[in-house]
Amino acid sequence: MIHSLESLRTVGENQKRSVLAVAVAQDEEVLLAVDAAYKLGIASAILVGDEAEIRAVADKLNISMDNYTIVHETDKVEACRRAVKLVRDKEADVVMKGIVDTAIILKAVLDKEIGLRESPVLSHVAVFEVPGYDRLFYVTDAAMNIAPDAETKKHILRNAVKVAHALGNENPIAACLCAVEKVNPKMQATLDAAALVEANRNGEIDGCTVIGPLALDNAVSVEAARHKGITDPNAGHADILLVPAIETGNVFYKSMVFMAHAKNAGLIVGAKAPIVLTSRADSDETKLNSIALALRVAAAQA
């Protein structure tokens, strides 16, 4: 089982070099991450976008384009479609977002003609390496689904479980995060948590153990769970942290990055291939981690 993001990159070095299809690739941060992945030996790339702009950015960064294939396309919508089609046609393994709105690339991913739709729900999984912990945390969903109901959360959990499995965690513990540890009819997140635990027990959500409702401290700290008198033996051992809504996920994500200085990676999952959607605020290391994570998940889906 992979316990660190650095080891995730190391595992990638020992695998066959995969191919990224980068949509609207004329972006400094994206090209730096792609070139870092190439130099590590984990990925090559097909760069879809305005060729003159791609080469100009590459020249500025002293990145040789001899190592890459460029597909010239000036229209951003069409560039996204062509990148997605490369993956659908198995000429590439992973889609990566360049300098284009997320909505545009996701529209291409979901296109009935050329897209990659697989699960009914696409969701975001952020993987965090937090100092002081012996495991990776999978936080979902901090970026895609705004206020998911219990049925949507089932799909979000299934997507996160696939990512954990790809990193060697065969039975991740998934905690349904809430503000309290008991079911309260006035708090929908606790009702959803109870429903998800039952769905896990009856086999609707498999490959994991679902627990909750739990507050964050009781999900990740055995000592905190013991102090609260929680008897579930899995309390404090959570791998997957299912947030109740996007606001919680967004605050959690940014707290981990900017205050806890946790290393991280992130993907959109639920399609036939993972989608790397990095933010301009993400560090070069995060972008490289996200590529390595995507390649690992793609290999597991192949």
Side-chain angles (χ1 to χ4, degrees):
M1 186 168 69
I2 292 172
H3 296 276
S4 71
L5 293 173
E6 183 178 357
S7 63
L8 176 62
R9 296 197 298 268
T10 303
V11 169
E13 291 177 29
N14 298 323
Q15 295 180 336
K16 177 184 176 183
R17 190 190 294 266
S18 300
V19 181
L20 304 169
V22 186
V24 195
Q26 54 267 29
D27 178 81
E28 289 189 17
E29 292 85 356
V30 168
L31 287 183
L32 283 170
V34 168
D35 199 52
Y38 180 85
K39 289 175 179 175
L40 275 178
I42 63 176
S44 59
I46 301 173
L47 308 175
V48 185
D50 187 304
E51 182 169 2
E53 292 185 15
I54 291 171
R55 291 189 179 279
V57 173
D59 286 345
K60 178 181 177 182
L61 300 172
N62 294 316
I63 295 174
S64 172
M65 285 292 97
D66 294 343
N67 302 321
Y68 305 102
T69 299
I70 299 177
V71 176
H72 178 61
E73 178 54 67
T74 57
D75 182 83
K76 292 187 175 182
V77 172
E78 189 57 31
C80 288
R81 289 177 60 83
R82 293 181 74 169
V84 168
K85 192 172 184 298
L86 285 167
V87 175
R88 191 205 64 176
D89 293 344
K90 300 189 182 304
E91 295 179 49
D93 304 290
V94 171
V95 179
M96 183 172 183
K97 170 183 173 288
I99 189 166
V100 63
D101 290 344
T102 298
I104 295 176
I105 193 166
L106 290 181
K107 184 176 181 180
V109 169
L110 296 173
D111 186 276
K112 291 181 179 180
E113 179 186 355
I114 57 95
L116 300 169
R117 178 183 283 276
E118 183 174 64
S119 167
V121 174
L122 296 185
S123 55
H124 185 268
V125 178
V127 180
F128 284 98
E129 181 183 337
V130 183
Y133 285 88
D134 62 352
R135 63 195 185 274
L136 295 173
F137 291 104
Y138 303 80
V139 178
T140 191
D141 176 350
M144 283 287 293
N145 295 279
I146 296 172
D149 58 17
E151 190 61 32
T152 302
K153 288 177 181 177
K154 290 179 186 178
H155 293 294
I156 292 171
L157 274 178
R158 293 184 187 117
N159 289 344
V161 167
K162 289 180 180 178
V163 177
H165 284 181
L167 272 59
N169 191 332
E170 297 181 355
N171 186 44
I173 297 169
C176 303
L177 297 185
C178 300
V180 296
E181 297 80 25
K182 295 182 180 180
V183 175
N184 183 335
K186 295 182 179 180
M187 302 177 75
Q188 185 60 46
T190 68
L191 297 174
D192 290 350
L196 293 168
V197 169
E198 182 60 28
N200 177 236
R201 287 173 179 164
N202 65 29
E204 288 182 63
I205 306 170
D206 58 9
C208 65
T209 299
V210 180
I211 58 176
L214 286 175
L216 175 62
D217 54 348
N218 305 311
V220 302
S221 168
V222 173
E223 183 179 357
R226 185 181 302 117
H227 281 310
K228 276 288 186 75
I230 297 170
T231 57
D232 188 327
N234 293 304
H237 297 285
D239 304 291
I240 296 172
L241 302 174
L242 175 71
V243 300
I246 198 169
E247 290 88 357
T248 307
N250 183 275
V251 172
F252 187 101
Y253 183 106
K254 290 176 181 176
S255 297
M256 287 293 98
V257 173
F258 291 100
M259 299 177 73
H261 305 292
K263 296 179 180 179
N264 69 299
L267 294 177
I268 299 294
V269 290
K272 293 178 181 177
I275 304 149
V276 180
L277 286 170
T278 55
S279 165
R280 281 189 175 273
D282 286 333
S283 67
D284 291 342
E285 182 182 28
T286 294
K287 292 179 175 68
L288 179 57
N289 289 339
S290 298
I291 290 172
L293 176 63
L295 298 178
R296 182 73 175 178
V297 173
Q301 288 184 229

